[in-house]
Amino acid sequence: GIRRDIAERPELNCGSVEYLAPEEYMVRPPMPPTYVFAFDVSYPAIASGLLATAIDSVKSCLDSLPGAERTQVGIITYDSTVHFYNMRGDQSSPQMLVIPDAASPYLPQPDDLLVNLQECRSQIDAALDIISKAFGKTQNVEGNIGGAVQSAYLVMQHVGGKMLCFQSSVPTAGEGKLRPKEDLASYNTEREYKLRKAEDPFFKRFGGECNRIQMCIDIFCCPPKFTDVASLSVYSSATGGQFYFYPGFFARKDGMKLKAEVTRNLTRETGWEA
């Protein structure tokens, strides 16, 4: 026979059902939506147009970020060093704080590296404008993404959130450095699987640490030459993020696609600490 209460039981009528979880299922009270944008400011990022395209894409989405008056934003730039930005609203202009050793990042000050989007919007815009001017003539070819990710971790460890990282240079120093891995002789052999996994356990270990603090990492990887994507993508796969790959990125060719995917990433409906 048919149950008398079948009309009152959606799980018996629908293919999928969503339930509102009570507070017992929450690790902590809801945190404000937090975004940290990390820009590679090395020479390859400047020459390919990645930096200008990424900054323009982020600026165009700031008004559409979820969270309204609760949203927080932080900005990091990196090459062989890491640069934080103090964008406190009561300052006349943003302040750049430089960490000279990207291999051993630390917080240059305890507060004000994350700011409220609505209260400090003019300072955030000013910081994004400063970046292009400050690094427009750089000759530094190193982009230490490992130092950038560790720096973002330090900034976000108390609140979690979402990190968007725009990477061009192949990191060759510090934690998470990559070595040339393109071994054509290994294709179609028993060694081929090694090309498709991260060799350095740092990527998986640190990805797990980021996951523990509810930090998601999305990477827009735009290298001018061969890059070990199998290793870099672990940052995203271990934290529930997305990895976007643009081989041989050039702004005139790939700029519209990158901007569309950044816009989609930042403005779509997003679940936090799910």
Side-chain angles (χ1 to χ4, degrees):
I2 299 176
R3 294 177 57 124
R4 293 182 178 180
D5 61 348
I6 189 170
E8 303 170 4
R9 301 288 295 273
E11 67 272 19
L12 301 179
N13 293 277
C14 304
S16 62
V17 181
E18 294 186 359
Y19 295 94
L20 295 178
E23 293 185 0
E24 288 77 6
Y25 287 82
M26 297 172 60
V27 176
R28 57 186 177 184
M31 296 288 105
T34 301
Y35 295 84
V36 170
F37 301 104
F39 301 98
D40 182 350
V41 292
S42 63
Y43 176 78
I46 305 294
S48 67
L50 170 63
L51 179 61
T53 304
I55 288 176
D56 181 62
S57 302
V58 169
K59 286 183 70 174
S60 67
C61 296
L62 289 178
D63 289 329
S64 303
L65 294 182
E69 69 279 354
R70 301 177 68 236
T71 305
Q72 297 186 111
V73 170
I75 296 176
I76 293 172
T77 54
Y78 62 98
D79 41 30
S80 58
T81 60
V82 176
H83 324 104
F84 294 91
Y85 293 83
N86 183 346
M87 301 175 290
R88 204 172 58 204
D90 58 357
Q91 298 182 138
S92 58
S93 62
Q95 180 185 15
M96 181 192 296
L97 307 168
V98 181
I99 306 301
D101 185 7
S104 302
Y106 57 89
L107 293 182
Q109 59 185 44
D111 301 309
D112 301 322
L113 299 177
L114 288 175
V115 296
N116 183 275
L117 175 59
Q118 290 190 357
E119 296 175 0
C120 305
R121 176 58 192 274
S122 61
Q123 294 283 44
I124 294 171
D125 285 338
L128 292 172
D129 292 336
I130 287 172
I131 291 171
S132 296
K133 298 176 182 178
F135 299 98
K137 297 182 180 180
T138 185
Q139 296 298 314
N140 194 329
V141 298
E142 175 66 35
N144 193 330
I145 187 174
V149 172
Q150 291 178 84
S151 298
Y153 173 89
L154 295 175
V155 173
M156 305 170 73
Q157 58 185 337
H158 67 290
V159 69
K162 188 179 184 74
M163 175 191 185
L164 269 72
C165 184
F166 299 90
Q167 171 74 14
S168 180
S169 296
V170 178
T172 57
E175 292 275 29
K177 65 181 179 181
L178 302 178
R179 68 174 185 83
K181 195 178 179 182
E182 192 172 20
D183 183 8
L184 298 180
S186 294
Y187 287 108
N188 298 319
T189 69
E190 295 180 351
R191 303 189 306 274
E192 183 174 353
Y193 78 95
K194 295 182 179 180
L195 301 177
R196 312 189 188 283
K197 59 183 293 187
E199 292 185 331
D200 190 341
F202 166 79
F203 295 99
K204 186 174 182 179
R205 182 179 70 252
F206 194 75
E209 285 297 307
C210 294
N211 193 9
R212 181 182 61 81
I213 66 166
Q214 311 289 342
M215 173 182 168
C216 166
I217 303 175
D218 293 328
I219 297 178
F220 294 80
C221 184
C222 309
K225 58 182 180 180
F226 175 83
T227 297
D228 185 1
V229 171
S231 294
L232 286 180
S233 61
V234 174
Y235 286 130
S236 299
S237 61
T239 60
Q242 283 190 266
F243 187 88
Y244 303 82
F245 185 47
Y246 304 80
F249 178 90
F250 190 64
R252 289 184 181 179
K253 173 174 64 76
D254 304 301
M256 290 183 63
K257 180 182 179 183
L258 184 138
K259 186 171 183 178
E261 292 190 324
V262 170
T263 301
R264 166 66 176 160
N265 185 298
L266 291 176
T267 59
R268 66 187 174 187
E269 187 173 342
T270 303
W272 296 84
E273 303 195 7

